[in-house]
Amino acid sequence: MNMPDIRQLVPHSRQMVLLDRVLEADAERLCAEVRIHEASILAGADGVGSWVGIEYMAQAIAAHAGWLALQRGEEVKVGFLLGSRKYEANVASFALGSVLQVHVRRVLQSENGLGAFECRIDIVGGPANAAAATVTVFQPDNVNQFLKDGNVG
């Protein structure tokens, strides 16, 4: 499957798109790739702290929403990370030179834009389930009206 450039799917400024590419996607799932290198945002001497994994997950969810929007011929819209349940990292950091696969699977989607995704990060050639969480997100129909009103649904 030929996937669009990640920057077409995630509505962030160029430097804040932390994912490198989408490997595969369907109506319920997406798998994205991140290569950890010295120039990676938030990288230190040992790599990227595993706490950044929650942002990788959130961006993979955004990429899924963007991919679905493009499939329907719609514009990619902004969404919001509401929180996570039980973010567990089994590594202290994602080491320089490692390649991560960020898997997201939609488990809940309501009409008002609230959604929940089961997420995990696998290190290619290393541990599976290096990090995992259930992530809750919100994507309003009209982000400008939502920000003006300040209410959900």
Side-chain angles (χ1 to χ4, degrees):
M1 178 183 298
N2 193 12
M3 301 305 285
D5 185 280
I6 191 70
R7 285 153 195 77
Q8 291 180 288
L9 303 176
V10 179
H12 286 2
S13 66
R14 286 197 170 286
Q15 65 195 35
M16 290 308 297
V17 176
L18 304 183
L19 305 176
D20 292 318
R21 66 185 181 130
V22 173
L23 300 175
E24 59 185 13
D26 64 28
E28 302 300 321
R29 302 172 195 267
L30 181 133
C31 179
E33 182 178 85
V34 180
R35 294 180 175 277
I36 307 298
H37 48 83
E38 290 176 355
S40 295
I41 291 183
L42 305 173
D46 295 330
V48 175
S50 60
W51 53 271
V52 178
I54 194 73
E55 180 63 21
Y56 295 151
M57 293 172 181
Q59 288 196 18
I61 293 168
H64 184 255
W67 184 81
L68 289 174
L70 292 182
Q71 298 305 302
R72 294 187 302 263
E74 299 173 2
E75 283 187 40
V76 174
K77 297 189 293 187
V78 172
F80 300 93
L81 168 65
L82 296 181
S84 68
R85 219 180 72 200
K86 292 182 94 175
Y87 179 75
E88 294 181 8
N90 298 314
V91 296
S93 64
F94 302 120
L96 293 176
S98 62
V99 177
L100 313 180
Q101 289 185 347
V102 185
H103 300 268
V104 299
R105 182 178 70 86
R106 183 171 47 189
V107 293
L108 172 74
Q109 185 70 54
S110 68
E111 292 293 319
N112 69 353
L114 289 171
F117 287 76
E118 289 180 351
C119 307
R120 79 173 195 277
I121 298 174
D122 297 336
I123 299 174
V124 176
N129 287 322
T134 300
V135 176
T136 307
V137 296
F138 176 63
Q139 186 177 52
D141 285 331
N142 183 327
V143 72
N144 292 326
Q145 188 65 44
F146 169 75
L147 291 173
K148 180 180 173 192
D149 294 347
N151 61 32
V152 177

